[in-house]
Amino acid sequence: MKVLTVGGGGREHAAVEALYRSGAEIYAVMKNANPGIIKRSKGYRLIDERNVDAVCGYAAECGVELAFIGPEAPLESGIVDSLEKIGVMCASPTKAAARIETSKTFMRELLENHKIKGNLGFASFDNAKDTSAYIRTVDHEIVVKPVGLTGGKGVKVQGEHLHSFDDIMEYVNEIFENNIGGAGVIIEEKAVGEEFTQMVFCDGVTISPMPLVQDHKRAHEGDVGPNTGGMGSYTDADHLLPFVTAAERAEALDIIQRIVDALRSEGCTYRGPMYGQFMLTADGPRIIEINARFGDPEAMNVLPILKTSFADVCMAMATGTLRNDVEFENKATVCKYVVPEGYGVRSKAGLPISVDEDAVLRCGAIAYYANVDIVDAKLVTGTSRSVGVVGMAESIEKAESNCEDALRHVNGEAIFVRHDIGKRELVQRRVDHMKEIRGVR
């Protein structure tokens, strides 16, 4: 099967590896020269992934049958709609269906209109004056977000990043003045608990769940520092998380199924991976965001342990023939991202980085290349995350140890890692926090 992949990050490298294991013939489009993707591809082209005409031209030239789109930006550009017009099936959502991520207002209103459990209080605005007036009426803590896409870095939380009305309005004004996200501001109720990610495969009707993952957005150890696209993440061998029960997971899956049903009823059937970011509260799972693709880094946790052929899963999503029986190995995984110094504020980019892939594998781990490029035959860092290292084992503790051993084989100038991800102490803090929220002694 000839498959087009779009995107050059760690999420896309993980998807390409899974497709390669499935026997697919891969043709890749990306804006950076990702060596892991290049290694597995029959052909590739370096172009802006949002250049729909160029991507479709390459797809036609290669005679691909199926496309998988990794990042959210080309989805917003309508790349799936255009590919389908030239006869390429897609295991990713159309522009209309992708609004579940590309417009936070659309997502919240869909949940409200269809009375889907787990929604949060919200209000969206197209100017700072009305936003200010609304905030003065709110009697609970809030979260401030641009309505549109920000690469996972646009969220600011009262009590963490924002500590006064002036702080809130300074950020609101920044969003409008700099047109961050391009679609206004949404003010949401702050949910208190522990975040978890439930991703699913979806063919428009049926969903098939992936293992639960917990991502870590804050840049530095101890959950401090600026928000990032994600510094790392972990899964457990039973596909739950140590602080999430099977019943709570079932509730989250029911919410996702209802969202899929609502989108279909609105005339924008959703096909492809869907990412549900939840906050587990005293009242159960609440929806933080729904994303129209795999999470990054979460894709790197789940795809290495996928037992079912990923090429078959993608074809089933594209053709509406998915069954709820996609299988994963019962292994824990811990992913830690190697990032350039300054990531989250101002990255030191364009510096050499190297990976001893064989040594990483001998440690019981795998390395996924992300925002790197090849310049003058040398691998260099970009401004975002560079390399995801994923340890795999029978327990979180052993997977974390494997990951740490493997990180010694990634070397470069001005790079850093958040080492506490997956460590016993941090996981236990999550467990203890949920016990406190549930009132369990």
Side-chain angles (χ1 to χ4, degrees):
M1 182 194 307
K2 290 186 175 183
V3 180
L4 177 77
T5 65
V6 177
R11 164 184 50 212
E12 290 76 40
H13 184 191
V16 164
E17 288 287 350
L19 287 166
Y20 181 81
R21 292 198 310 269
S22 302
E25 185 175 298
I26 298 159
Y27 296 85
V29 168
M30 50 192 161
K31 58 188 175 186
N32 56 300
N34 183 312
I37 294 175
I38 291 171
K39 179 180 177 181
R40 299 305 193 195
S41 298
K42 179 83 170 178
Y44 71 95
R45 187 156 294 175
L46 299 180
I47 53 177
D48 188 324
E49 299 131 355
R50 296 168 298 177
N51 186 338
V52 172
D53 290 342
V55 173
C56 288
Y58 185 62
E61 179 184 320
C62 297
V64 300
E65 305 157 66
L66 178 69
F68 172 81
I69 317 302
E72 59 273 26
L75 295 174
E76 186 179 40
S77 298
I79 195 167
V80 167
D81 308 68
S82 295
L83 284 166
E84 289 181 341
K85 282 179 183 175
I86 63 169
V88 177
M89 296 178 289
C90 293
S92 299
T94 62
K95 182 175 182 175
R99 286 179 297 165
I100 199 70
E101 173 173 10
T102 61
S103 172
K104 297 176 184 68
T105 301
F106 173 82
M107 184 270 286
R108 291 290 175 200
E109 289 178 348
L110 184 82
L111 298 173
E112 184 175 69
N113 293 339
H114 290 265
K115 297 180 173 57
I116 297 172
K117 188 177 179 181
N119 204 4
L120 295 169
F122 72 98
S124 55
F125 303 94
D126 60 7
N127 66 85
K129 182 179 178 182
D130 289 344
T131 311
S132 173
Y134 172 77
I135 291 169
R136 290 184 184 278
T137 70
V138 173
D139 61 358
H140 53 74
E141 289 194 312
I142 61 171
V143 177
V144 182
K145 301 177 181 179
V147 168
L149 297 177
T150 59
K153 305 177 188 69
V155 178
K156 291 199 176 182
V157 181
Q158 188 175 359
E160 295 180 27
H161 314 96
L162 310 171
H163 300 283
S164 66
F165 176 80
D166 288 343
D167 286 349
I168 293 169
M169 286 311 303
E170 181 180 354
Y171 184 48
V172 168
N173 286 321
E174 180 185 345
I175 292 171
F176 284 114
E177 288 167 8
N178 297 319
N179 198 31
I180 299 173
V185 164
I186 186 166
I187 307 298
E188 296 179 352
E189 168 193 355
K190 178 182 175 181
V192 177
E194 283 293 332
E195 288 190 36
F196 69 91
T197 300
Q198 174 65 76
M199 296 185 292
V200 301
F201 298 112
C202 177
D203 72 349
V205 177
T206 301
I207 64 171
S208 190
M210 303 182 216
L212 294 185
V213 191
Q214 186 173 49
D215 184 20
H216 298 70
K217 291 288 189 187
R218 302 298 281 272
H220 304 302
E221 295 181 17
D223 293 319
V224 298
N227 267 356
T228 71
M231 293 297 297
S233 44
Y234 69 93
T235 66
D236 209 347
D238 62 359
H239 302 164
L240 295 171
L241 288 169
F243 57 87
V244 182
T245 67
E248 288 162 341
R249 184 196 194 195
E251 191 174 342
L253 285 169
D254 181 65
I255 289 169
I256 292 174
Q257 181 67 66
R258 290 174 183 273
I259 290 170
V260 170
D261 295 342
L263 286 167
R264 189 174 66 255
S265 74
E266 296 273 343
C268 44
T269 298
Y270 187 101
R271 296 187 179 94
M274 181 182 283
Y275 167 123
Q277 184 182 14
F278 292 90
M279 184 73 78
L280 183 56
T281 72
D283 299 318
R286 308 291 295 278
I287 301 161
I288 302 299
E289 288 186 351
I290 302 294
N291 291 334
R293 33 80 187 179
F294 279 114
D296 186 344
E298 292 97 331
M300 294 185 283
N301 293 96
V302 301
L303 287 173
I305 60 172
L306 177 65
K307 291 171 68 176
T308 307
S309 161
F310 186 47
D312 289 348
V313 172
C314 286
M315 182 58 79
M317 288 191 290
T319 57
T321 57
L322 184 71
R323 298 189 343 182
N324 185 12
D325 60 357
V326 179
E327 291 188 281
F328 294 84
E329 296 178 61
N330 291 108
K331 287 185 178 179
T333 66
V334 173
C335 174
K336 302 187 190 190
Y337 249 130
V338 179
V339 305
E341 284 185 9
Y343 174 60
V345 181
R346 180 172 294 179
S347 299
K348 295 181 179 179
L351 298 173
I353 189 168
S354 64
V355 181
D356 186 335
E357 296 177 35
D358 291 337
V360 168
L361 286 171
R362 288 195 296 271
C363 293
I366 187 168
Y368 291 114
Y369 295 96
N371 187 226
V372 294
D373 210 342
I374 300 171
V375 178
D376 296 329
K378 293 181 180 178
L379 190 66
V380 299
T381 58
T383 57
S384 191
R385 299 164 294 180
S386 304
V387 180
V389 176
V390 183
M392 294 171 282
E394 67 280 358
S395 67
I396 296 172
E397 189 170 358
K398 177 58 176 168
E400 191 278 330
S401 176
N402 289 351
C403 180
E404 281 293 322
D405 288 344
L407 283 165
R408 294 184 290 109
H409 303 290
V410 180
N411 296 288
E413 296 180 29
I415 56 175
F416 82 97
V417 176
R418 185 175 159 181
H419 288 286
D420 64 345
I421 294 167
K423 287 193 180 295
R424 178 185 290 181
E425 298 80 7
L426 185 59
V427 174
Q428 188 59 48
R429 283 208 300 273
R430 305 290 198 243
V431 173
D432 292 343
H433 186 212
M434 278 314 303
K435 284 182 178 177
E436 179 185 344
I437 286 172
R438 292 183 176 111
V440 176
R441 296 185 181 275

